[in-house]
Every structure is written in C-alpha cells, then in structure tokens.
Amino acid sequence: ISSKLDLYQKAFYQKTGGMENSGQIPPKAGETTTYIISWQVKNNFNDVKNIKVRAKLPDGVGLADEIMPESEAGKFSFDSVSREILWSAGDAGAGQSTGTLYFKVALNPQSFQTGNTVQLIGQATASGEDQSTNKTIQGTANSVSTNLPDDSENSGKGVVQ
C-alpha cells in the first residue's frame, strides 16, 4: 500500500509565522495588500523522499520577497513565465510532517474585480517517492482566495472594495 500525502495550503492577513502584512482588509482596487501563504505536507504511512510542492500564482498576484523559515529560501523558486512556485520540501518519515513554509504574496486588485473575492494562489500539489512501493504519490490542496477561511481575524473580509 502506498503512502498518502496530505497537503495543507492556507492564507492569512493576520501576523503568522513571524511575518506581518500590509495594505487594506478588505482589499481595495488599485492598492496592494500582502498575504501570507502557508504550506505543510503530512505523510501518512511509508517513508517518502523528495517531496515537492507546486502551485501557480494567478495574474495580478506577485511573489513578495519574504520566506520563513529563512533556511528554506534556497529550496524555494518561482518561474516568472509559468508563474509556478516550487518548494523542495525534502523527506518525511512515516507519520511525519514537513516543517511549515510561509511565504508572502502581493495582490493589487483591478477595478473590474470590485465586489468579488480574488484567488491568491491556485490549487497546490505535493508529490514524493514512496520508499516502500517505489511509486510517486501525490496530494492536493484547494486554491485559496482573499476570503481567508483559515484566518480567524479576517475570514470573510475578502470582497474587493
């Protein structure tokens, strides 16, 4: 039986992972607001090596130059053409999790987005090599919007003004 990867992708405006944001909540058209995205992968059964997490940033969302913990910065990359973010999260033993990665994105909503929530990051996919079955396994997490369902202070305050 192959292992299973659970990927958790969350977005926050409140101070998280030692990082703070700037800009308005709810976001305002023509003004930049930053958000913190967190990624964590939980491995369920067998040892898994070479875990990688990928997601695309939608148009209108940029990557801000802040990553925590800083030791992960060398394992994190952004392809400006494909708009794909890649985190080489490493290995996780059976029942273990990767550390949590925090990175910042910047949204500058346009006037046509007024009255709507805006996607901050697309669906994320984690993949790795199951060491017992020698198969590549995957887990996914849904895209996250300015609605911030995991942010206790700002959930539901994502409609662009």
Side-chain angles (χ1 to χ4, degrees):
I1 296 175
S2 288
S3 191
K4 179 176 178 279
L5 294 178
D6 294 322
L7 173 60
Y8 301 95
Q9 174 171 260
K10 299 177 181 180
F12 302 91
Y13 182 80
Q14 70 187 30
K15 184 176 180 177
T16 304
M19 299 165 72
E20 293 189 39
N21 285 300
S22 61
Q24 297 217 352
I25 290 290
K28 188 172 181 184
E31 295 183 16
T32 300
T33 300
T34 63
Y35 298 87
I36 298 160
I37 306 294
S38 71
W39 281 349
Q40 184 183 44
V41 182
K42 183 173 187 288
N43 171 30
N44 288 288
F45 307 124
N46 308 322
D47 291 350
V48 177
K49 297 221 180 266
N50 300 320
I51 297 171
K52 293 184 174 22
V53 181
R54 301 175 175 353
K56 288 189 178 182
L57 291 182
D59 290 336
V61 178
L63 190 62
D65 193 21
E66 197 168 344
I67 296 169
M68 290 298 233
E70 291 177 1
S71 59
E72 294 298 302
K75 303 172 188 174
F76 185 90
S77 63
F78 177 64
D79 182 323
S80 59
V81 176
S82 70
R83 305 197 48 76
E84 183 178 71
I85 296 171
L86 170 64
W87 175 38
S88 296
D91 306 336
Q96 302 294 310
S97 296
T98 62
T100 303
L101 176 76
Y102 300 95
F103 59 95
K104 199 179 283 191
V105 297
L107 169 69
N108 188 342
Q110 303 305 303
S111 57
F112 73 86
Q113 294 171 309
T114 300
N116 297 299
T117 59
V118 178
Q119 188 181 90
L120 294 172
I121 189 166
Q123 176 179 290
T125 303
S127 62
E129 301 159 12
D130 185 308
Q131 297 302 290
S132 293
T133 63
N134 292 320
K135 292 185 177 175
T136 298
I137 57 171
Q138 288 191 327
T140 59
N142 290 333
S143 62
V144 182
S145 77
T146 52
N147 222 22
L148 306 176
D150 298 296
D151 184 329
S152 59
E153 293 178 20
N154 300 290
S155 180
K157 300 177 185 173
V159 175
V160 176
Q161 304 298 301

